[in-house]
Amino acid sequence: MKHQQNYSLLKHNTFGFSVQCSDFYVYDKKEDLIQLYNEGVFSQKWLPIGGGSNLLILNDLEYNVVQSNIQQIEVIEGGEKNCLVYVGSGVIWDDFVQWSISKNLGGIENLSFIPGMVGASPVQNIGAYGVEAKDVIRRVEVYDTKQNKFYYVEAADCLFEYRGSVFKRDKHLIVVGVIYQLTKEPYYELKLDYGNVREMLKDLSTITLKDVRDVIVNIRKSKLPLPSEIGSAGSFFKNPVISKSEFETLRTTYPDIPFYEVSDGYKIPAAWLISQCGWKGKNIGAAGVYEKQPLILVNRGGAKGEDVLFLMKQIQMSVKCQFSILLNPEVCLIQ
Ligand code: EPU
């Protein structure tokens, strides 16, 4: 285990804010968490972080920050069609995706190239191109910082929802590992119906997991800023869901409004709402709205968390005034 004081979080937040925390702990194995418990780390204020790819850190954090370095990918059960794989929370998410493809195991290829660590995948119920982590998660191993014990939470008890779960609400649980159910060839079913994924693969007679990954990686590279080049936290807002009557009212004024019908109403792309309000490519100071995908707020260089927060509020106000829709952030605001 590593412990550092007055530690810079610059490399631990993809917005690239120059902030620090008073104490930074990196644990390599489950037992380290018991040591942290005994040292009183969890009786003070603390924050678990993964790759820092979904955080808006507003200031220096005068408290404990805890990060996993549990590195393990292990097939724990194999059947004819499926297998269960235990993955440590400190594994880089995309390394796990690449591992699954190298073993010809299907299920997470659409989640290629998402930044962050495996530990965040159930917390945030990460999703892209028609697949969500909840589709493949069977069980999550957690450390309960109140009870000082480890246990498994079954998928049905994870309360997965769009970019959320029980782990996002119950702040005393740390994800130490996740059990995924992946599918063997030829039983996996490729999900190609989001956007132009199928169209981009139309010339191939047989489509492999690697082909799907390559297409997704290309789409993501063309739309989303690379964290190494431009600071951002991916989609900043969630796509809002509105009721049928709200939708019908809006459609009379905006006949071209894009939407997806979902179980509880109509999901409207926040990127479209933000574009309509004229924010695409705009900046306020060093905080900006990404020109290729306006759902992404970016650090143009030297921005602080407060600058992005100010821009967030301005966008929320515009969208509220024009569409009577409140955009909620997907990123976690940290102070
Ligand atoms: N759109 C515009 N203008 C733009 C871009 C998009 O109006 O400049 C509208 C279009 O109507 C387009 C729609 O937004 O059809 C959807 O755009 P896109 O497919 O890029 O997806 P998104 O809804 O903006 C969501 C996720 C992404 C995920 C993609 C692909 C959320 C908050 N975001 O974005 O996830 O990669 O779908 O599945 O649900 C993330 O969570 O950080 C993330 C990047």
Side-chain angles (χ1 to χ4, degrees):
M1 183 159 55
K2 275 200 216 98
H3 174 204
Q4 278 160 290
Q5 291 187 301
N6 300 324
Y7 180 76
S8 169
L9 294 170
L10 181 62
K11 292 200 179 115
H12 299 279
N13 77 99
T14 54
F15 259 120
F17 299 142
S18 187
V19 281
Q20 63 168 35
C21 65
S22 57
D23 291 88
F24 190 72
Y25 296 90
V26 180
Y27 59 95
D28 303 305
K29 53 188 187 310
K30 284 162 60 177
E31 295 69 35
D32 291 342
L33 289 168
I34 296 172
Q35 188 185 328
L36 292 180
Y37 179 90
N38 291 334
E39 287 174 11
V41 165
F42 303 122
S43 17
Q44 305 154 16
K45 191 169 176 187
W46 65 280
L47 171 79
I49 66 164
S53 51
N54 205 45
L55 303 180
L56 179 67
I57 303 180
L58 295 170
N59 41 250
D60 286 341
L61 308 179
E62 300 300 330
Y63 52 85
N64 303 315
V65 172
V66 177
Q67 188 188 45
S68 170
N69 184 36
I70 299 182
Q71 299 291 332
Q72 180 185 351
I73 304 184
E74 195 185 329
V75 176
I76 53 170
E77 203 180 295
E80 190 205 336
K81 293 188 177 174
N82 300 306
C83 70
L84 295 184
V85 187
Y86 181 97
V87 190
S89 52
V91 171
I92 301 286
W93 170 261
D94 200 48
D95 288 352
F96 171 46
V97 176
Q98 292 190 65
W99 176 91
S100 73
I101 288 169
S102 74
K103 304 284 178 201
N104 217 1
L105 293 169
I108 52 173
E109 56 284 354
N110 290 34
L111 303 179
S112 288
F113 214 54
I114 294 182
M117 290 178 179
V118 163
S121 63
V123 180
Q124 186 64 8
N125 183 23
I126 57 172
Y129 306 98
V131 174
E132 284 185 316
K134 73 170 172 55
D135 304 336
V136 281
I137 291 177
R138 286 296 155 262
R139 230 164 275 139
V140 177
E141 188 180 25
V142 296
Y143 173 69
D144 186 323
T145 58
K146 278 191 188 153
Q147 302 185 60
N148 185 26
K149 67 179 194 194
F150 295 92
Y151 53 86
Y152 279 94
V153 183
E154 295 296 321
D157 299 320
C158 292
L159 308 181
F160 286 125
E161 56 181 12
Y162 172 49
R163 296 297 190 275
S165 69
V166 70
F167 314 109
K168 200 161 175 180
R169 297 179 221 162
D170 271 3
K171 302 286 185 200
H172 64 287
L173 298 177
I174 294 182
V175 173
V176 293
V178 184
I179 297 181
Y180 300 89
Q181 180 175 306
L182 301 179
T183 308
K184 295 182 178 172
E185 202 180 11
Y187 298 103
Y188 53 70
E189 284 172 28
L190 301 178
K191 299 222 168 78
L192 309 176
D193 290 326
Y194 188 100
N196 56 348
V197 173
R198 191 180 291 281
E199 168 69 16
M200 290 172 82
L201 290 160
K202 72 175 187 324
D203 294 334
L204 300 177
S205 51
T206 50
I207 301 171
T208 63
L209 298 175
K210 169 87 170 38
D211 296 327
V212 177
R213 174 181 169 79
D214 289 347
V215 162
I216 303 275
V217 170
N218 284 337
I219 299 176
R220 290 189 74 94
K221 281 188 175 162
S222 69
K223 283 193 180 174
L224 311 177
L226 278 179
S228 53
E229 287 165 17
I230 305 176
S232 89
S235 297
F236 192 91
F237 298 101
K238 289 192 225 178
N239 288 324
V241 175
I242 59 174
S243 69
K244 190 167 199 281
S245 65
E246 287 168 323
F247 174 69
E248 277 164 3
T249 311
L250 272 181
R251 198 138 78 146
T252 54
T253 321
Y254 303 96
D256 297 332
I257 186 170
F259 64 94
Y260 312 92
E261 229 176 309
V262 287
S263 58
D264 48 346
Y266 290 77
K267 194 179 254 192
I268 311 296
W272 183 83
L273 298 166
I274 296 168
S275 298
Q276 291 291 308
C277 293
W279 280 106
K280 199 166 173 166
K282 292 271 168 64
N283 301 317
I284 299 185
V289 179
Y290 194 50
E291 38 292 338
K292 294 186 199 162
Q293 180 21 315
L295 189 48
I296 297 176
L297 304 190
V298 293
N299 175 359
R300 301 272 182 214
K304 293 191 163 69
E306 303 251 318
D307 301 326
V308 176
L309 187 71
F310 184 74
L311 177 61
M312 170 191 105
K313 288 181 179 161
Q314 301 303 308
I315 293 172
Q316 282 176 318
M317 271 199 290
S318 303
V319 172
K320 183 87 187 149
C321 281
Q322 193 166 333
F323 296 100
S324 301
I325 294 176
L326 175 66
L327 288 184
N328 285 311
E330 189 211 287
V331 299
C332 301
L333 273 49
I334 305 293
Q335 53 189 351

